[in-house]
């Protein structure tokens, strides 16, 4: 991907020649590496029950706070160099979705799809668009899967909904990145059938990072962590611009479930206290149990009330965050050009534009840079 600026079903019967000969020259915009952008993008695909969270650390606490994490999306400054790690042939992992990248600016969406299409169907609802796409491309080669992404109208339209309004449309080919440009690239890390894979559409195939201790129910992030850390350390002396995001279960759903659970515990404790400290005969989840005795129940009541209050505060904070994401995305998509043009016209009519331009020209530049 080229980033001039860095920001943190049943098979459909479609002729094969449509996938190959369809025009993929339709422009794909670059989109910001932002959890609010990615979450809305996923929502426009029709996927339910998930969101994207930015992960500021690779430590266990960060991963635990965002559990469950279905996959990771990593952004880094791309450098063309050899990678000694072997790739595997996709036919050896037929149930693992891997697509070659054939559209330059689609790598963000391709990394997102690499995660979404490898999450077990029992964990998330892909919605009709991606469910049909996954079924339709299941027998395709890696190259054809990449071409299918490039030719998917719903996927491309969702991606390009974040395109910035351009004041002028130039009838010319898109500029190719040069060595002077900052080129960034997205890749994905996913667990799959007891192993962890790195999925990079610019490579010849998936990279098997190793087996998960405990199989599919084990800690897959402990396998992915060293690979990400090694990549960061490789460029640590010359590059600090990295971005790691996780596809996680919808946090409002997680917190709502926790709140419901805590309210049920609170009710059980209150019943027991009303009965003079006797444990009520009711079903309780998991290993949690009512305390014995009045004092112990009162302590358990205070602890549960505090946990419930914390949970509700997190829910409120989550509502504020989602509202903030929504407002930011509205601003990203809004076309401010008519407003700016009209403002400049009014300033010119009042003879205020030229003096403002001259004043701006007279100010010393504060954006000088030093070459190393």
């Amino acid at each position: 991907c080229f980033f001039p600026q860095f920001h943190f079903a049943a098979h459909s019967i479609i002729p094969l020649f449509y996938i190959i000969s369809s025009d993929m020259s339709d422009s794909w915009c670059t989109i910001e590496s932002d959890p609010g952008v990615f979450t809305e993008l996923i929502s426009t695909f029709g996927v339910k029950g998930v969101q994207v969270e930015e992960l500021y650390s690779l430590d266990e606490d960060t991963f635990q706070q965002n559990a469950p994490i279905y996959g990771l999306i990593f952004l880094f400054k791309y450098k063309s160099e050899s990678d000694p790690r072997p790739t595997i042939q996709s036919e050896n992992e037929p149930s693992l979705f891997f697509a070659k990248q054939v559209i330059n600016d689609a790598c963000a969406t391709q990394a997102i799809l690499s995660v979404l299409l490898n999450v077990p169907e029992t964990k998330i609802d892909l919605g009709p668009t991606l469910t049909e796409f996954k079924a339709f491309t299941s027998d395709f080669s890696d190259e054809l899967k990449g071409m299918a992404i490039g030719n998917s109208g719903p996927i491309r339209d969702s991606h390009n909904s974040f395109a910035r309004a351009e004041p002028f449309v130039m009838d010319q080919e898109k500029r190719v990145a040069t060595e002077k440009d900052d080129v960034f690239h997205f890749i994905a890390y996913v667990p799959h059938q007891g192993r962890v894979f790195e999925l990079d559409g610019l490579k010849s195939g998936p990279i098997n990072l190793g087996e998960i201790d405990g199989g599919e129910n084990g800690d897959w992030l402990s396998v992915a962590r060293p690979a990400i850390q090694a990549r960061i350390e490789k460029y640590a002396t010359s590059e600090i611009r990295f971005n790691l995001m996780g596809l996680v279960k919808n946090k409002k759903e997680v917190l709502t479930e926790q709140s419901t659970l805590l309210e049920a515990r609170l009710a059980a404790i209150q019943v027991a206290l009303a009965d003079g400290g006797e444990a009520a005969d009711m079903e309780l989840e998991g290993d949690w149990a009512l305390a014995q005795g009045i004092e112990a129940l009162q302590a358990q009541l205070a602890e549960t009330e505090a946990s419930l209050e914390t949970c509700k505060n997190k829910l409120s904070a989550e509502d504020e965050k989602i509202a903030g994401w929504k407002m930011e995305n509205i601003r990203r998509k809004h076309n401010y050009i008519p407003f700016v043009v009209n403002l400049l016209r009014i300033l010119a009519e009042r003879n205020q534009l030229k003096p403002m331009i001259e004043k701006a020209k007279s100010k010393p530049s504060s954006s000088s840079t030093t070459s190393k």
Side-chain angles (χ1 to χ4, degrees):
C1 286
F2 169 45
F3 288 84
Q5 293 182 343
F6 183 80
H7 301 277
F8 278 90
H11 280 61
S12 302
I13 302 176
I14 300 178
L16 183 60
F17 70 81
Y18 176 81
I19 298 297
I20 297 176
S21 64
S22 246
D23 181 13
M24 287 193 295
S25 63
D26 289 344
S27 176
W28 287 64
C29 70
T30 56
I31 60 177
E32 294 179 45
S33 179
D34 180 86
V37 171
F38 283 13
T39 296
E40 183 171 326
L41 178 60
I42 289 171
S43 178
T44 61
F45 291 154
V47 182
K48 299 177 181 178
V50 295
Q51 68 186 64
V52 175
E53 284 293 320
E54 194 159 12
L55 306 176
Y56 298 100
S57 170
L58 290 170
D59 60 49
E60 183 63 31
D61 287 343
T62 298
F63 288 155
Q64 191 59 44
Q65 289 169 10
N66 291 280
I69 299 177
Y70 300 129
L72 298 173
I73 300 166
F74 185 58
L75 175 70
F76 62 98
K77 188 174 181 179
Y78 178 76
K79 294 182 180 180
S80 181
E81 55 189 8
S82 61
D83 187 341
R85 297 176 300 172
T87 58
I88 64 173
Q89 298 298 316
S90 293
E91 53 263 30
N92 296 330
E93 292 288 340
S95 60
L96 178 69
F97 181 89
F98 175 78
K100 290 286 188 64
Q101 183 178 323
V102 297
I103 303 295
N104 286 339
D105 291 333
C107 64
T109 290
Q110 184 150 334
I112 292 170
L113 292 174
S114 293
V115 176
L116 289 172
L117 297 179
N118 283 304
V119 180
E121 295 177 1
T122 56
K123 294 185 177 180
I124 66 171
D125 179 4
L126 282 177
T129 298
L130 292 190
T131 298
E132 291 172 9
F133 179 84
K134 183 177 181 180
F136 173 63
T137 61
S138 60
D139 296 326
F140 284 8
S141 66
D142 301 340
E143 291 81 3
L144 281 179
K145 286 177 180 175
M147 296 175 78
I149 292 173
N151 281 289
S152 170
I155 292 175
R156 183 177 60 244
D157 291 345
S158 294
H159 176 102
N160 283 340
S161 68
F162 287 94
R164 295 184 176 182
E166 296 292 343
F168 306 104
V169 179
M170 306 298 291
D171 187 16
Q172 62 182 22
E173 293 184 1
K174 193 168 187 177
R175 185 172 72 85
V176 177
T178 67
E179 292 182 358
K180 295 181 179 180
D181 291 311
D182 285 341
V183 180
F184 292 86
H185 183 54
F186 291 92
I187 59 177
Y189 295 88
V190 297
H192 183 73
Q193 296 184 348
R195 286 170 292 167
V196 178
F197 292 91
E198 179 181 300
L199 305 179
D200 182 349
L202 297 181
K203 296 192 181 299
S204 59
I207 295 176
N208 182 2
L209 298 179
E211 295 189 0
I212 305 169
D213 288 340
E216 294 187 31
N217 297 321
D219 178 19
W220 74 272
L221 293 165
S222 64
V223 180
R225 184 186 291 111
I228 299 172
Q229 189 65 51
R231 188 180 288 275
I232 293 174
E233 291 175 354
K234 185 176 182 180
Y235 305 120
T237 57
S238 60
E239 185 58 54
I240 60 171
R241 293 172 291 181
F242 302 98
N243 189 212
L244 179 65
M245 289 182 283
L247 181 75
V248 306
K249 186 174 180 178
N250 183 284
K251 286 202 165 186
K252 283 195 66 174
E253 292 181 7
V254 172
L255 290 168
T256 299
E257 290 172 3
Q258 291 177 0
S259 179
T260 301
L261 184 64
L262 289 168
E263 286 173 348
R265 291 180 179 179
L266 196 62
I269 297 169
Q270 290 170 339
V271 169
L273 282 170
D275 290 342
E278 296 294 328
D281 184 15
M282 58 178 67
E283 279 190 38
L284 300 174
E285 87 296 334
D287 297 329
W288 186 82
L290 282 166
Q292 299 297 315
I294 295 293
E295 290 185 4
L297 280 169
Q298 288 175 336
Q300 191 177 41
L301 177 68
E303 181 182 350
T304 305
E305 286 176 335
S307 297
L308 182 58
E309 183 66 22
T310 299
C311 187
K312 289 182 176 180
N313 289 338
K314 288 181 178 179
L315 263 172
S316 296
E318 191 66 20
D319 284 334
E320 291 180 9
K321 182 181 71 178
I322 297 299
W325 283 354
K326 184 177 180 180
M327 180 58 67
E328 288 172 5
N329 288 337
I330 289 173
R331 289 169 177 163
R332 285 184 177 99
K333 296 179 180 183
H334 184 71
N335 184 1
Y336 289 94
I337 293 169
F339 164 76
V340 173
V341 171
N342 197 44
L343 176 62
L344 294 175
R345 180 182 61 80
I346 293 172
L347 289 172
E349 290 174 352
R350 296 178 179 178
N351 296 320
Q352 295 177 347
L353 182 59
K354 188 174 181 180
M356 293 174 69
I357 294 174
E358 295 301 326
K359 184 178 179 180
K361 286 182 178 180
S362 65
K363 290 183 178 181
S365 175
S366 60
S367 59
S368 61
T369 58
T370 304
S371 300
K372 292 184 179 181

